[in-house]
Amino acid sequence: MMRGMIKVSTVFCSFLLALMLQTWFSENLAQGSESEAQTPIEAFQQKRFGMFIHWGPVSLRGTEIGWSRGREVPVEEYDRLYTQFNPTEFDAEEWVRLANEAGMKYLVITSRHHDGFSLWDTKFSDYKITRTPFGRDVMRELRDACLKYGIEFSVYYSLCDWYHPDYPLGSPGGKTEKPRSDMPRYYEFVKNQTREILKLYGPLGVFWFDGEWENPWTREYGNELYAYLKRVQPDLVINNRVSKGRRGMAGTTVDIDENAGDFDTPEQRIGTFNRERPWETCMTLGKQWAWKPGEELKSAQESLQTLLRVAGGDGNLLLNVGPRPDGRIDPGQADVLLEMGTWMGRYGDYIYGTRGGPFKPGRWGASTCRNDRIYLFVMDWPRFGELRLPRVPVEIVSYNSLSQAEVTLRQDLTGLYLSRQDNQVREPATVVELRVPGSAFDIEPMAVEEE
Ligand code: JFZ
């Protein structure tokens, strides 16, 4: 039966009543199973969309954080930038309001990147934000703003440090060796700083580690740090870059039983469909993580389609902004996020708290599901005729278009066929809701054949 009932008989009425009762039970009883988070990692997954922030004194030069030290910017000059760093326009609430208006549910700030500069008032280093002309504890202000606006505060922390004398490797890019390093003492520094962050600014949502790929950092250090921090904050979520399992930019985890980490971290790409292992794509709006003047940015439509394909793969999207040296987020970056937020304000409910699938993402689009609903996000209609989706082993009870586009769905033994009444393209997607009997999540995920 598709939308609208054509004729009604007594038998059909009783069937309809039974179906309505089943739907009511499936909606209410299943509610707890899919929309209330049972564990910290499930709560993380349900957020689906977060703001990444890469910021530091390097924004004065507009070059890449960490990586430009000893390349575009001589080491001595890079390390003196903090003496001029005075972002007087910084307003933590403005940043957090932007995240909120974009539809982002968590925020990850670079507390200390590969350049060793700390964005908080750490007692374990003098190379920090409170020793700049600005003098304020940025992380304290961001955390407080996140609490005020209901955005979960999380922290990026680099395990490599090309500035710190005890860390064996230096700039450019870890390609040099320091004369008198002391890795055991550096590891104690890392434990002290990470514990300090949890004590001063916790509880955190996520400790987002990075910089683990270099030789001085070992699996033993990573696995011990993971266990240590989980003892300090048991419900903390930690990514797979704390240990040595992360496989390059793909961000998946090798030897998952040997390498600590709660989720995979594909970078600058949409991760592969995976419901068994939590994952999060991190991505820049331009090409550079830290602010770069005049950089070309991805559009809101492209970024939304990335979010839909990531959520459709059962992943999260951590989308990055690089604030300016004066403390403001570039209006160009803010505009993209605000345009995303307008769409998310209307359709976000079909992304937050859903699971990916059952139709796997592709050029065609993506799908999410929750309880007895499947949400289709059609991004690429066939030039002629209908969009064919694989056959599902249940009868679609009803469907309706959640966008303005008028769509028609028919089902037969060969699959689901979706057509639209007009050729109007709806950016970033035409959204269609399907209702199925029972749990949509239980439908076996299927790939969609692309033309
Ligand atoms: C890392 C950082 O280097 C980068 O600056 C940014 O913070 C990003 C989120 O994380 O990027 C890397 C580093 C190493 C690899 C991939 C991405 N690697 O070894 O494949």
Side-chain angles (χ1 to χ4, degrees):
M1 279 79 48
M2 293 308 167
R3 195 173 50 155
M5 303 293 178
I6 299 165
K7 60 177 181 289
V8 178
S9 68
T10 314
V11 172
F12 185 70
C13 275
S14 52
F15 171 75
L16 198 62
L17 180 62
L19 189 65
M20 287 165 72
L21 285 170
Q22 182 201 39
T23 302
W24 183 86
F25 278 107
S26 67
E27 274 190 337
N28 291 278
L29 296 185
Q31 192 71 24
S33 63
E34 294 188 17
S35 58
E36 285 160 28
Q38 311 303 326
T39 63
I41 191 66
E42 287 173 337
F44 166 71
Q45 286 184 288
Q46 298 208 359
K47 292 180 174 62
R48 284 298 181 230
F49 189 28
M51 176 184 272
F52 213 170
I53 304 174
H54 279 67
W55 197 43
V58 68
S59 58
L60 286 163
R61 291 299 307 273
T63 55
E64 188 58 290
I65 191 165
W67 294 96
S68 62
R69 181 175 184 268
R71 287 195 173 119
E72 299 91 322
V73 185
V75 168
E76 300 69 28
E77 180 183 339
Y78 190 111
D79 295 351
R80 277 198 312 275
L81 289 172
Y82 83 107
T83 64
Q84 307 149 45
F85 193 50
N86 191 14
T88 53
E89 301 296 315
F90 171 71
D91 176 347
E93 291 203 12
E94 185 181 82
W95 290 14
V96 173
R97 271 198 304 274
L98 175 61
N100 193 36
E101 288 162 24
M104 294 162 154
K105 300 299 183 185
Y106 61 108
L107 178 150
V108 183
I109 177 74
T110 50
S111 67
R112 186 176 128 280
H113 205 267
H114 313 331
D115 60 10
F117 182 78
S118 297
L119 267 184
W120 78 100
D121 189 24
T122 177
K123 67 181 182 190
F124 299 103
S125 166
D126 289 338
Y127 188 42
K128 61 183 175 181
I129 188 74
T130 42
R131 290 293 179 93
T132 68
F134 187 57
R136 286 160 41 188
D137 186 336
V138 163
M139 273 174 47
R140 161 74 57 207
E141 294 182 32
L142 268 177
R143 173 197 173 272
D144 292 350
C146 283
L147 284 176
K148 179 174 178 180
Y149 286 91
I151 300 291
E152 186 174 72
F153 182 67
S154 294
V155 163
Y156 165 110
Y157 185 90
S158 175
L159 297 167
C160 70
D161 183 332
W162 300 328
Y163 171 90
H164 197 294
D166 286 342
Y167 182 76
L169 304 180
S171 296
K175 300 293 183 230
T176 57
E177 287 208 15
K178 293 171 189 153
R180 282 171 303 284
S181 63
D182 183 331
M183 189 61 190
R185 189 166 62 189
Y186 176 76
Y187 178 58
E188 283 310 306
F189 165 78
V190 166
K191 281 178 79 171
N192 286 333
Q193 278 208 320
T194 50
R195 183 188 64 250
E196 181 185 49
I197 287 172
L198 288 181
K199 294 297 184 191
L200 290 178
Y201 310 107
L204 300 186
V206 177
F207 230 133
W208 211 99
F209 287 100
D210 189 32
E212 86 296 350
W213 66 89
E214 294 187 333
N215 289 336
W217 189 259
T218 66
R219 172 180 295 137
E220 291 67 33
Y221 281 139
N223 292 353
E224 188 195 309
L225 181 63
Y226 176 91
Y228 173 71
L229 295 175
K230 290 274 189 165
R231 286 196 299 273
V232 177
Q233 181 189 321
D235 65 349
L236 177 68
V237 173
I238 297 175
N239 71 351
N240 69 345
R241 300 188 185 187
V242 68
S243 189
K244 300 293 276 191
R246 181 262 295 239
R247 183 190 285 125
M249 299 292 273
T252 48
T253 307
V254 294
D255 303 328
I256 207 155
D257 299 331
E258 312 291 321
N259 293 291
D262 301 324
F263 64 92
D264 289 351
T265 52
E267 182 168 329
Q268 302 286 31
R269 67 195 62 197
I270 295 169
T272 306
F273 182 92
N274 188 340
R275 283 177 168 178
E276 310 310 319
R277 169 80 171 163
W279 60 273
E280 174 199 68
T281 278
C282 57
M283 191 172 281
T284 51
L285 266 181
K287 292 225 183 328
Q288 193 169 279
W289 292 99
W291 181 62
K292 181 174 185 176
E295 193 180 26
E296 186 180 346
L297 303 176
K298 298 177 179 80
S299 69
Q301 302 309 324
E302 179 186 351
S303 304
L304 281 165
Q305 291 191 340
T306 295
L307 173 58
L308 293 173
R309 290 190 170 103
V310 164
D314 209 38
N316 284 25
L317 175 64
L318 187 61
L319 190 58
N320 182 74
V321 294
R324 297 155 45 126
D326 65 2
R328 293 179 54 229
I329 289 178
D330 205 282
Q333 296 189 27
D335 288 347
V336 171
L337 295 188
L338 290 171
E339 187 179 339
M340 292 181 77
T342 301
W343 194 88
M344 288 299 283
R346 176 158 181 191
Y347 300 103
D349 189 42
Y350 313 122
I351 292 137
Y352 307 125
T354 66
R355 299 300 304 270
F359 302 105
K360 293 180 181 179
R363 189 167 46 78
W364 76 275
S367 68
T368 61
C369 60
R370 181 176 49 221
N371 299 329
D372 63 347
R373 307 295 163 90
I374 296 172
Y375 302 104
L376 303 176
F377 303 96
V378 182
M379 301 177 209
D380 186 29
W381 289 90
R383 274 184 307 146
F384 307 103
E386 301 165 306
L387 171 70
R388 179 184 174 279
L389 297 176
R391 179 180 176 281
V392 291
V394 293
E395 183 146 357
I396 303 299
V397 172
S398 65
Y399 69 96
N400 68 314
S401 170
L402 299 172
S403 316
Q404 291 78 6
E406 189 61 30
V407 296
T408 303
L409 182 130
R410 67 180 181 85
Q411 176 179 22
D412 66 22
L413 290 177
T414 65
L416 293 179
Y417 296 86
L418 206 62
S419 54
R420 51 184 177 154
Q421 304 316 312
D422 62 32
N423 285 331
Q424 192 178 346
V425 177
R426 281 198 168 55
E427 290 289 342
T430 302
V431 188
V432 183
E433 178 187 60
L434 310 184
R435 174 177 284 194
V436 295
S439 163
F441 184 72
D442 293 340
I443 297 172
E444 186 64 27
M446 300 160 280
V448 175
E449 281 174 34
E450 309 277 13
E451 270 180 0

